[in-house]
Amino acid sequence: MANKLMVSTSPHIHRRENTASIMRQVTFALIPAGIGGVWIFGLRALFIILTGIVSAVIFEWLIQKARGVKVTVLDTSAILSGLLLSYNLPPAVPLWLVAVGSFVAIAIAKQAFGGLGRNIFNPALVGRAFLLAAWPAYMAAFAKPFDVIAGATPLALLKEGKIAELAQLDLSYQDLFLGLRGGCIGEVCILALLIGAGYLLLRRIISYHAPLAFILVVGLFSWVFGQDGFFGGDFIFAVLSGGLVLGAFFMATDYVTTPLTTKGRFIFGLGCGLITFVIRKWGGYPEGVSYSILIMNAVVPLIDRYIRPKRFI
């Protein structure tokens, strides 16, 4: 009777990764994009990143203390939320605005729902959406690369029909890939984002289903319904010039707010891509990545309900 049969509930297969280790690895994967943002926009971008992280950690600690629950700031989730929020902000915003966004992300989008694992929407994107609605002028204060002078993003110029001004920028695909354009701090350097995404894919922290569907749909529809008529769009420009890569790999892959199954994640990515294109093409904003992910976050329970893994009998 030395060997006893141990009966326990599922899951029976375990991995070494836990919540804290996964959050740390995603944070680590985002470091290259942060370095790229600071290199392109200067130390101002670093102050925004640090403000986002520190304020998010402080708000999480204070709220959990006030709620009388276990303080979990060491799981790195607050750091990740603050980091992602700051990456989604222009490099010319005031620091107090960053702190307000962190408060909304942590207090309303996360802790009001019960904390990590219970939130319906991506906290960083809720913070960004709030700031965009409350202070749109600040959120449009983009900067030119290696400068602090405000300048419109390529997507904004295209949206406003300022083709001549866009042509004057003389942006090559290489410029867009390296981040030599206006935009948010963490979204501009595609090379840095792909380095981090590649690390997460190799470590199997994220799956490729949602990002692939997201990017393919935006590229396809941007090509088909382009500025020059059917099949006249520049799909490479559409993929490289906005926050698509950041959103696809680092926010449309969030464990809590995305579907559980691979098929569900693919559907999630398709929906994000379609909504992003619709907002870019016909909406009031030049970019739609954030809103598309938030809208699809609300659809996740429905996807999980109807897209279920097969039961083995």
Side-chain angles (χ1 to χ4, degrees):
M1 297 296 292
N3 296 324
K4 295 182 179 180
L5 178 64
M6 303 298 293
V7 179
S8 63
T9 58
S10 62
H12 303 292
I13 300 175
H14 299 273
R15 295 177 63 183
R16 292 182 179 180
E17 286 88 356
N18 54 26
T19 300
S21 67
I22 291 172
M23 294 294 173
R24 283 194 295 266
Q25 290 187 74
V26 176
T27 302
F28 175 76
L30 283 165
I31 291 177
I35 294 174
V38 174
W39 175 67
I40 293 167
F41 297 115
L43 286 178
R44 175 72 182 177
L46 178 60
F47 296 147
I48 291 174
I49 292 172
L50 292 177
T51 301
I53 292 173
V54 172
S55 59
V57 171
I58 291 174
F59 288 135
E60 177 134 311
W61 184 85
L62 289 174
I63 293 171
Q64 288 182 328
K65 278 289 188 180
R67 292 177 58 208
V69 299
K70 181 182 178 181
V71 176
T72 59
V73 292
L74 295 180
D75 67 6
T76 324
S77 63
I79 293 176
L80 181 57
S81 294
L83 184 63
L84 284 172
L85 172 66
S86 61
Y87 278 16
N88 278 278
L89 297 178
V93 296
L95 298 183
W96 63 263
L97 193 83
V98 186
V100 172
S102 290
F103 175 79
V104 173
I106 298 300
I108 298 177
K110 185 179 179 183
Q111 291 300 323
F113 286 92
L116 182 64
R118 297 179 178 87
N119 53 291
I120 300 174
F121 302 100
N122 185 291
L125 293 182
V126 171
R128 183 184 189 276
F130 175 81
L131 295 179
L132 191 59
W135 293 282
Y138 282 128
M139 293 297 288
F142 294 100
K144 298 177 182 178
F146 308 106
D147 202 344
V148 295
I149 301 174
T153 65
L155 278 179
L157 292 175
L158 183 64
K159 181 73 175 179
E160 296 168 5
K162 299 179 179 179
I163 307 300
E165 293 184 27
L166 183 60
Q168 288 178 359
L169 294 178
D170 194 25
L171 293 173
S172 65
Y173 292 147
Q174 180 177 331
D175 293 334
L176 296 174
F177 188 70
L178 296 178
L180 305 182
R181 61 175 177 87
C184 294
I185 293 171
E187 73 179 19
V188 291
C189 188
I190 305 301
L191 173 61
L193 290 169
L194 291 180
I195 291 172
Y199 169 80
L200 294 179
L201 289 169
L202 288 175
R203 295 284 298 174
R204 296 186 178 181
I205 301 298
I206 64 173
S207 69
Y208 66 88
H209 302 84
L212 179 64
F214 200 163
I215 293 172
L216 283 179
V217 168
V218 172
L220 177 62
F221 279 85
S222 299
W223 173 56
V224 174
F225 301 99
Q227 293 291 326
D228 300 327
F230 286 111
F231 304 104
D234 189 341
F235 66 91
I236 299 178
F237 176 88
V239 171
L240 298 181
S241 59
L244 178 59
V245 175
L246 174 63
F249 285 103
F250 293 97
M251 287 174 283
T253 55
D254 177 44
Y255 283 20
V256 179
T257 59
T258 57
L260 299 173
T261 63
T262 55
K263 186 183 295 185
R265 292 168 191 155
F266 190 78
I267 295 173
F268 182 88
L270 292 177
C272 288
L274 181 59
I275 296 171
T276 296
F277 169 75
V278 169
I279 294 175
R280 284 185 177 185
K281 182 69 175 178
W282 296 292
Y285 291 105
E287 180 61 286
V289 171
S290 297
Y291 288 113
S292 70
I293 296 174
L294 289 173
I295 291 171
M296 289 305 296
N297 284 161
V299 185
V300 167
L302 192 62
I303 295 175
D304 283 337
R305 179 176 181 179
Y306 290 101
I307 306 297
R308 298 181 181 180
K310 292 182 179 180
R311 180 183 301 173
F312 292 95
I313 301 176

